[in-house]
Amino acid sequence: MSSSSASASAGSDAASANERIRALVDAADGADGTWPAEAYEVLLLEWAAAIHGHVDEAA
């Protein structure tokens, strides 16, 4: 894969993760007052992996 293709894919993956984060935040806002911390953390890791182009399995 070329660097421009990888860059485009990472950008698309990051945008997708960002949209899922926004949906989670919107769903949590006005819910029962609890925060879905574990789901949020997973989505943040996916977003960070997309930005950096890799997944850190240790996280």
Side-chain angles (χ1 to χ4, degrees):
M1 180 182 318
S2 72
S3 63
S4 62
S5 294
S7 211
S9 177
S12 176
D13 291 347
S16 176
N18 191 39
E19 287 303 314
R20 292 193 318 271
I21 290 168
R22 287 178 190 212
L24 180 68
V25 170
D26 289 346
D29 188 33
D32 64 358
T34 61
W35 178 251
E38 187 174 320
Y40 184 67
E41 182 177 338
V42 168
L43 289 173
L44 286 177
L45 289 171
E46 289 178 15
W47 176 82
I51 294 297
H52 295 291
H54 69 281
V55 175
D56 185 1
E57 295 296 331

